[in-house]
Structure formats: C-alpha cells, structure tokens
Amino acid sequence: MEYNVARGTRDILFKEKRRFKLVEEVIRSVAETYGFNMIETPMFEHTELFARSVGESSDIVNKEMYTFNDKANRSITLRPEGTAGAIRAFVTNKLYSSPDMPVKLMYDGSVFRYERPQAGRFRQFRQFGFEEIGARSPYVDVELIMMVKAILETLGFEGLKIKINTIGDTESRNNYSKVLREHFGAHIDTLCEDCRRRLETNPLRILDCKVDVNHEAIKNAPKIKDYLTEASREYFAKTLELLDSLDVKYEIDESLVRGLDYYNDVVFEIHQEDNKYGALGAGGRYDSLVKEVGGPDLPAVGMAFGVDRLVMIMEEEGMFEDENDVSVDVFVMPMNENMNAKALATAEVLRSIGLIVDIDLSNRSFKSQFKSALRKGAQAAVIIGEEELNNNALVLKNIETATQETIKEEELVAKIQEIVSL
Ligand code: HAM
C-alpha cells in the first residue's frame, strides 16, 4: 500500500527547506532590529478561540478549519492563523502587565486551512507573523509597514505593491453595514449562496466574494470611505500622510476588506506585480481583540507573511544562490571495511574545524563513491586505502583541480584548509 500526501500538503525537501529557513532567518533578524521578539504558541487551540477572534462570519471559521474533538470530547482546532493564539498567549501570560508597552512579539510556524488548493495556496503553509500590542497610533502602523518593506527589500524583492484601505471603527462599520444591507438586499436573487448568508452575518464580506468578482452590485456598492466616523477618517488620513512623507509607496484599494473579523481601521496587503499567488503578506489594526479574548482593553496592530509564497517567488525569480540539493565540503572514502574506523575518526577531525563532511561507510567501489562526492559538490575527497592506513597517510584529492597527493595524517587539517573555502 502506497500512501500519498494529503491534498493541499507537501513535503519540503533539503534545498527548499534550507531556503525556508533562510527566509525566516532574514525576516527574524530584520524584525529584531525593530524590537520584535520571538514566541511560540501551540499548533492547536480550543475552537472557541478562533470562532470568537477570527470570527463566526469569516470563511476561515465557517469552512476552513481543521476541527476535531479530542479524547476528552473538547473541540480542538489546528490554528488557521497566528494572531488568535499570539493574543491568547499575551493574555494567558499577563504580558499586559509589562511596564514597556507596546509589547512586540513575532512567531513562525505552520497554519492549517481547508481551502481549495491551487498555485501558492496550500492546506498547510507557514506564516511569519508580528503583533504589536498596547498602542493605537498611525505612527505605529506606519512603522510596521516600514518594517515589512525593509524585510522584503532585504530578501531582494523589488516592485512589490502595498495595498492599503480603512475599514473604519465599529461605529463606521455599523453604519456602513446598514447601507450595504440595503444595497445588496435589492440584489439578493443574484448573490451567491454564501453572500446571501453574509448579508445577514457580515455584509462587508460580500465585497470580498470570490465567486463572481465582476458582479455589478459588488462593483457599484457604496464605499466605506463615505461612512467613516471623523476619528476613523482622520486616522487613515494621518497614516497616508506619514507614508507619503516617509516615501513609502502604496496604493489605496477600496475593495480591500480582509477575510478575518477582528480588524478595524487600517488594513493592508502586499502584492507582487502579476499577483500570481495572491497576497504575500497582510495585516492591519485590531483594537478589540485583546479584550475579546479576555484581556484588558488594549489596541493592537499586526501582520503575517505567507512564507511559502515568498519562497516560491524567490525561486522563480532566481533570488537564491544556486546550490546542490545536498551539499558537503569534504567526502571521506574508505576503500574497504577495514578502513571504516579510520575514516570515521578522520571525518570527526574535519568536522571539528567546522567542515561539512560526508562519508561512505557502505564500501562501494571507488568510482561510485567518487561520483557521490562530485554530486554532493565536495571540494575535496579524502581517500583511505590499505597502504595509506599502514603508513599513517591519506590521499587528498582536490576536486576542482583534479590533482591528488599522499599526505601525512597530521598534515590533513592544514592541507584541506588550502583547498576548502570556509
Ligand atoms: P491572512 O491574510 O489570512 O492574515 O494570511 C497572511 C498571509 O498568509 C497571506 O497574505 C498569504 O501570504 C498567506 N496565506 C494565506 N492563506 C494561504 C494558503 N492557503 N496557502 C499559502 N499561503 C497562504 C492572517 O492570517 C492574519 N493573522 C495576519 C495578521 C497578523 N493580522 C494581524 N496580525
């Protein structure tokens, strides 16, 4: 019986896994210069947490969660995103009692959504997210957007678009929802099944409908900007003014509403020019969530990158230095089983000076071993034969120059350092 990976999931092998790590490393190190610190939260939480935070009216909670009852019959859900767990952790660990607000935390890890798989869309994927809790100010939102820009530039991206919008505060949204209900109510027969439900639960979601993106009623819908409270209007205007003054390029997208319920005011997404895989990252302000999950009334803002999409685009655009799937510095080749112990000891010496060393202990032919050394990109091969063993000697082969010499064991480290660039 052969098993396949579950739909929407995939194995990430050697080179690609290294690339994921590299990208996450760059993200972390740039974010550290902005004062963010890493946390890790559980991969599953009580279902109720996501229902309350991500929201009952969102597609994620309605259709996309991996939910099951554990053996004690509690409803558990694999996290469909990182914010809910991060904010739960902030509350559980009473991080709000810190005298140093705002608290800036970041995390990476796998998240799970039962979505229809397509290019760049998986059912298990990695997010790298940031949450900044305890401050409400356009300056803070703009600093986060500047960090996003700095991270993407450090990774080597050029020409990405930051789309930005406001969805207003609760009062703005209540006013707007009322108007949208009237507007879409007149077109109810032409709406998809989901949107008919959304008309009741959260009419803003209709603007994000993926079924009929050219629906006239959606295109002609009233705009949130005409229903903003004074406070929300000012907040957004100040944010844009700051972005302009700091020379951060953006594009206002009035259809940007985001698929999670916890947002208010400023929301944004990062897109590549041809928009092949959807957003590369997204976020916004969420001033009610901390209270919603049982903490004090603290405002917050955050965002998350989709790491899979970043890696995919970087691979396509040749932004990684080319390397082998498996790459070593030195390959140690014992010529028969009697030399294996000597080979092991030799490899240890080379590893202790920081080299990546592979060794063939199955005693294949010289030719097969040497072919492996070449495939693995070794710069040097150390050959241990019967005669050498008896004389405390080794054969050192410089693969690039295709030359070799017999050397004394104690010369190995010095000689190999002449060949291998550390
Ligand atoms: P989100 O927009 O749902 O936001 O996801 C963030 C990013 O995850 C997306 O921009 C995209 O790059 C990636 N992503 C989403 N779904 C998939 C998928 N099925 N396959 C591959 N990548 C995907 C959030 O999750 C919020 N928690 C972000 C946030 C943090 N807001 C405030 N703080």
Side-chain angles (χ1 to χ4, degrees):
M1 173 78 189
E2 198 185 322
Y3 296 98
N4 292 324
V5 288
R7 195 163 135 77
T9 68
R10 63 201 176 122
D11 301 315
I12 296 168
L13 304 182
F14 312 119
K15 182 166 62 185
E16 202 181 4
K17 179 64 190 170
R18 281 204 302 280
R19 291 174 168 181
F20 267 76
K21 282 211 165 267
L22 180 78
V23 167
E24 289 175 357
E25 214 32 50
V26 169
I27 298 176
R28 184 191 55 75
S29 62
V30 176
E32 268 175 5
T33 69
Y34 285 77
F36 283 87
N37 279 297
M38 290 295 292
I39 63 164
E40 175 144 349
T41 68
M43 233 179 262
F44 57 83
E45 301 264 359
H46 295 295
T47 303
E48 182 63 16
L49 172 71
F50 301 115
R52 291 204 68 156
S53 55
V54 176
E56 304 277 8
S57 84
S58 68
D59 275 359
I60 293 180
V61 169
N62 268 298
K63 302 194 242 174
E64 297 172 0
M65 296 207 301
Y66 283 89
T67 298
F68 56 95
N69 282 356
D70 68 8
K71 292 192 192 305
N73 229 13
R74 278 180 295 248
S75 183
I76 294 292
T77 293
L78 300 185
R79 62 181 174 206
E81 56 102 55
T83 307
I87 298 304
R88 200 255 329 118
F90 174 83
V91 174
T92 306
N93 296 285
K94 298 192 172 46
L95 301 184
Y96 48 76
S97 56
S98 160
D100 305 312
M101 287 286 172
V103 170
K104 291 172 159 182
L105 49 89
M106 59 177 162
Y107 49 85
D108 58 12
S110 294
V111 301
F112 307 85
R113 294 184 191 174
Y114 191 78
E115 289 196 85
R116 199 167 52 77
Q118 59 180 52
R121 198 202 278 158
F122 308 99
R123 290 183 173 169
Q124 174 174 346
F125 56 99
R126 289 184 72 80
Q127 283 192 341
F128 201 120
F130 308 91
E131 315 297 347
E132 183 163 354
I133 308 133
R136 176 181 161 86
S137 152
Y139 291 96
V140 173
D141 301 7
V142 167
E143 190 191 24
L144 180 69
I145 293 172
M146 286 167 72
M147 180 180 82
V148 166
K149 198 175 156 236
I151 288 171
L152 291 168
E153 278 169 6
T154 309
L155 285 171
F157 283 94
E158 284 167 5
L160 293 181
K161 245 191 261 161
I162 298 171
K163 294 187 179 181
I164 192 165
N165 194 25
T166 177
I167 55 166
D169 52 18
T170 313
E171 193 187 330
S172 315
R173 267 198 320 286
N174 286 344
N175 296 339
Y176 185 48
S177 293
K178 223 179 281 166
V179 180
L180 281 184
R181 248 181 220 118
E182 275 166 29
H183 171 79
F184 286 120
H187 301 275
I188 190 156
D189 295 341
T190 67
L191 296 176
C192 74
E193 202 184 311
D194 278 338
C195 284
R196 274 181 232 158
R197 179 177 49 78
R198 290 172 182 139
L199 193 61
E200 285 310 309
T201 54
N202 186 352
L204 245 87
R205 288 266 156 277
I206 300 175
L207 301 174
D208 208 19
C209 177
K210 300 282 186 295
V211 178
D212 184 2
V213 284
N214 291 317
H215 197 297
E216 282 301 316
I218 296 179
K219 278 198 199 155
N220 303 330
K223 300 270 186 266
I224 178 94
K225 68 169 189 249
D226 299 319
Y227 300 91
L228 294 175
T229 59
E230 196 53 34
S232 278
R233 199 193 322 275
E234 270 173 24
Y235 195 97
F236 192 47
K238 182 72 187 167
T239 307
L240 299 184
E241 185 194 312
L242 285 171
L243 289 172
D244 286 333
S245 72
L246 290 159
D247 206 26
V248 181
K249 301 268 175 298
Y250 61 86
E251 192 182 291
I252 298 173
D253 180 350
E254 287 172 348
S255 66
L256 187 68
V257 289
R258 306 282 298 123
L260 304 98
D261 284 356
Y262 45 65
Y263 291 112
N264 61 270
D265 288 297
V266 176
V267 290
F268 61 92
E269 288 184 355
I270 293 97
H271 288 262
Q272 203 198 13
E273 208 63 62
D274 62 7
N275 205 16
K276 202 150 97 197
Y277 301 127
L280 302 183
R285 176 151 285 286
Y286 52 96
D287 292 333
S288 318
L289 183 60
V290 183
K291 190 157 182 233
E292 189 66 35
V293 302
D297 192 2
L298 286 173
V301 65
M303 72 84 55
F305 286 111
V307 182
D308 301 65
R309 291 183 187 176
L310 293 178
V311 172
M312 284 173 79
I313 292 174
M314 289 174 70
E315 279 181 339
E316 281 165 28
E317 312 249 312
M319 288 158 72
F320 293 107
E321 278 172 30
D322 252 336
E323 353 153 358
N324 297 329
D325 249 3
V326 180
S327 170
V328 304
D329 298 320
V330 183
F331 202 80
V332 178
M333 301 165 51
M335 287 301 100
N336 68 44
E337 204 183 328
N338 296 335
M339 277 98 233
N340 279 1
K342 182 74 196 166
L344 279 173
T346 307
E348 285 300 286
V349 170
L350 296 174
R351 287 171 184 142
S352 73
I353 59 165
L355 295 173
I356 303 171
V357 183
D358 205 352
I359 180 172
D360 190 319
L361 294 167
S362 53
N363 304 115
R364 294 177 302 152
S365 69
F366 175 88
K367 210 167 148 193
S368 308
Q369 292 197 41
F370 194 62
K371 276 190 182 163
S372 291
L374 292 179
R375 277 193 298 267
K376 293 186 178 199
Q379 297 171 66
V382 178
I383 302 150
I384 304 171
E386 195 94 51
E387 202 185 313
E388 286 82 24
L389 185 69
N390 296 333
N391 295 322
N392 285 341
L394 305 156
V395 175
L396 177 60
K397 210 171 167 63
N398 180 332
I399 290 181
E400 200 190 319
T401 60
T403 51
Q404 67 178 53
E405 60 177 324
T406 303
I407 57 165
K408 287 267 162 232
E409 243 179 79
E410 53 274 21
E411 293 176 298
L412 179 63
V413 167
K415 291 265 184 195
I416 214 137
Q417 280 170 336
E418 286 170 18
I419 299 176
V420 179
S421 45
L422 276 177

